[in-house]
Amino acid sequence: MNEMTRRAVLTAGGVAALAAAGLADATDRTPRWSTIPSRDALRRRHFPDIVLRTHENREVRLYEDLIKDKFVTFNFMYTNCESTCPLTTHNLVRVQKLLKDRVGRDLFMYSITLDPENDSPEALARYAKRHGAGPGWIFLRAEPGDTPTLRRKLGFYDRNPEVDGKWSTHTAMVRFGNEPRQLWAATSGLVAPDAIARAILWVDWPERKTAQTLGCCS
């Protein structure tokens, strides 16, 4: 395992151990002594039931349809991106192949456009086909007014407004989580695909699989 891969896995694992601490929003003011169950509190803070449309032109809700009771990955992209989006998408295609039949069965991959004004469901479908995305990987668009909220709630933002205004800041990040277990973490989408796949499996608790399960790594 090279140094970049080792750092990516350890970083993701460390964040996962914090059980969603990486999703904490600086604007949140929920009292520590709140009696709201932790899973429900996490849902209220970070998973608003925003309506999105899939690349197959189906209407879905963020929490009820895409996240609730699921093991998931998220990234942001847009079809006209010429910087990190194609590289991240290419790596995630390889990740999907490494994770084999789990994708679409007990793991669901979601890519959300940052440019809903130009990325129609048809454009997203063409993008998915062009890059070789398989079943279980859904490309999505929210309404333009909902996209900034969605990006922030899911943790794809920077506290520096100047940095946050650059879409490329958010397109190279992959966040993943086990919603029932309240385990969430993130890694770069630009590291080796086997490192991304290993990182994703960190939150597959209590059913974590060893690296050998992937059939890709020593």
Side-chain angles (χ1 to χ4, degrees):
M1 184 184 295
N2 61 37
E3 185 63 20
M4 179 176 287
T5 299
R6 187 180 73 82
R7 287 200 305 268
V9 174
L10 291 178
T11 298
V15 179
L18 295 177
L23 282 174
D25 189 324
T27 63
D28 178 49
R29 294 294 182 267
T30 303
R32 292 183 181 181
W33 56 85
S34 172
T35 58
I36 300 173
S38 59
R39 184 180 177 188
D40 191 45
L42 189 64
R43 175 187 63 80
R44 294 187 189 188
R45 294 173 192 166
H46 301 291
F47 308 134
D49 234 3
I50 289 172
V51 174
L52 303 96
R53 193 163 290 278
T54 75
H55 69 279
E56 297 174 332
N57 207 23
R58 293 184 297 107
E59 189 175 278
V60 293
R61 294 170 296 171
L62 178 67
Y63 181 74
E64 287 295 330
D65 298 325
L66 300 180
I67 296 177
K68 185 178 180 181
D69 298 325
K70 291 182 173 66
F71 176 24
V72 302
T73 75
F74 282 100
N75 75 293
F76 277 81
M77 43 64 68
Y78 56 104
T79 62
N80 291 324
C81 175
E82 297 180 352
S83 55
T84 59
C85 301
L87 296 174
T88 299
T89 301
H90 174 73
N91 280 347
L92 289 176
V93 168
R94 294 177 63 188
V95 167
Q96 183 176 35
K97 291 177 180 177
L98 289 171
L99 296 175
K100 302 176 181 178
D101 61 344
R102 296 200 63 178
V103 180
R105 176 171 56 86
D106 65 349
L107 169 64
F108 300 88
M109 298 174 64
Y110 305 126
S111 293
I112 305 172
T113 179
L114 288 167
D115 188 15
E117 293 183 344
N118 293 305
D119 287 345
S120 64
E122 295 76 16
L124 291 173
R126 290 193 296 270
Y127 183 89
K129 183 177 180 179
R130 182 166 72 248
H131 287 275
W137 185 352
I138 302 174
F139 289 76
L140 300 142
R141 71 175 294 279
E143 290 300 316
D146 289 332
T147 299
T149 298
L150 184 61
R151 178 170 64 80
R152 186 171 183 84
K153 289 292 187 178
L154 290 176
F156 290 81
Y157 71 97
D158 193 284
R159 293 181 181 179
N160 182 328
E162 184 175 344
V163 175
D164 192 56
K166 299 177 181 178
W167 284 355
S168 59
T169 302
H170 319 293
T171 57
M173 177 178 165
V174 179
R175 188 173 292 283
F176 41 92
N178 183 327
E179 192 276 333
R181 298 288 178 179
Q182 305 168 62
L183 298 176
W184 292 89
T187 191
S188 170
L190 301 180
V191 299
D194 64 322
I196 299 173
R198 288 172 186 263
I200 290 170
L201 292 181
W202 270 97
V203 299
D204 188 23
W205 186 88
E207 302 297 333
R208 285 181 184 157
K209 307 297 188 295
T210 64
Q212 286 75 20
T213 304
L214 299 177
C216 66
C217 340
S218 59

